[in-house]
Amino acid sequence: MKKLFIAAMLFVGIASFAQETDQKPAREQRERMTPEQRNEKQLQKLTTELSLDASQQAQVKQLLADRSAKAEKFREARKEKKDSNTKPTAEEKAAFKKQMEDEIAANDAKMKSILKADQYTKWKALQEEKKDKMRDKMKEHKKDKI
């Protein structure tokens, strides 16, 4: 009887352990999209959520393409610095932060000129939701590391 009970407990323990690993998909398992695919997906999402017309779609598509090209340039520069094993100084970090804030402000101004007032307010609300979701993910990620 004891052996049967121990075998059953061992089986339950192994089964529950096996299920835990399947709960979270690994980051590498996600499919990687090209910048063009990401831009197209984001354009489709904005089109459905903001009810963009054809001219707005064209303008937003161009804006997304410009933004992703700049982001790729920033990524390359950051990767070069990381590969050369040089840590950015406090001034460089501050300059980069200021540059990113300027980019965000410029992007915001361009979107404001493209969208109608009600679309713009909805877009800002979507941006805030996205920012909150990202903060939650970062908190969760930090918890997982501890």
Side-chain angles (χ1 to χ4, degrees):
M1 186 72 170
K2 285 182 184 178
K3 289 180 183 178
L4 183 61
F5 181 71
I6 291 172
M9 292 303 289
L10 185 63
F11 178 73
V12 170
I14 290 172
S16 66
F17 180 72
Q19 288 177 356
E20 284 180 25
T21 58
D22 295 338
Q23 295 297 323
K24 280 191 174 181
R27 188 176 184 139
E28 291 77 33
Q29 290 177 349
R30 284 192 306 180
E31 135 187 5
R32 288 280 181 203
M33 291 191 282
T34 65
E36 293 80 21
Q37 289 172 325
R38 279 194 304 269
N39 290 345
E40 194 61 37
K41 186 177 179 181
Q42 192 171 7
L43 180 64
Q44 290 300 320
K45 185 176 180 184
L46 288 174
T47 300
T48 56
E49 290 181 349
L50 301 177
S51 306
L52 300 178
D53 60 29
S55 67
Q56 286 176 324
Q57 282 182 8
Q59 291 173 324
V60 170
K61 185 175 185 174
Q62 182 62 42
L63 180 65
L64 291 173
D66 293 343
R67 198 173 71 187
S68 76
K70 286 179 184 176
E72 188 63 33
K73 201 170 19 169
F74 284 138
R75 228 177 273 119
E76 291 292 325
R78 200 169 100 202
K79 188 176 182 192
E80 282 179 20
K81 284 199 179 229
K82 189 175 183 179
D83 290 343
S84 66
N85 289 331
T86 55
K87 296 261 184 196
T89 63
E91 294 84 25
E92 288 175 333
K93 285 181 182 179
F96 181 73
K97 187 175 182 181
K98 175 81 170 112
Q99 189 177 14
M100 295 310 316
E101 288 171 355
D102 292 344
E103 284 294 324
I104 291 169
N107 182 51
D108 192 53
K110 288 175 187 173
M111 283 299 275
K112 192 170 188 173
S113 68
I114 294 170
L115 301 175
K116 297 175 188 156
D118 61 327
Q119 290 174 324
Y120 179 74
T121 54
K122 191 171 183 182
W123 179 74
K124 286 299 276 183
L126 289 171
Q127 293 292 97
E128 284 300 315
E129 272 181 39
K130 193 174 173 184
K131 201 182 280 188
D132 291 341
K133 193 174 180 182
M134 195 57 113
R135 280 190 194 118
D136 292 343
K137 279 187 177 182
M138 289 298 290
K139 286 179 184 176
E140 197 174 300
H141 183 69
K142 284 182 181 179
K143 275 186 202 174
D144 290 345
K145 280 191 167 183
I146 295 176

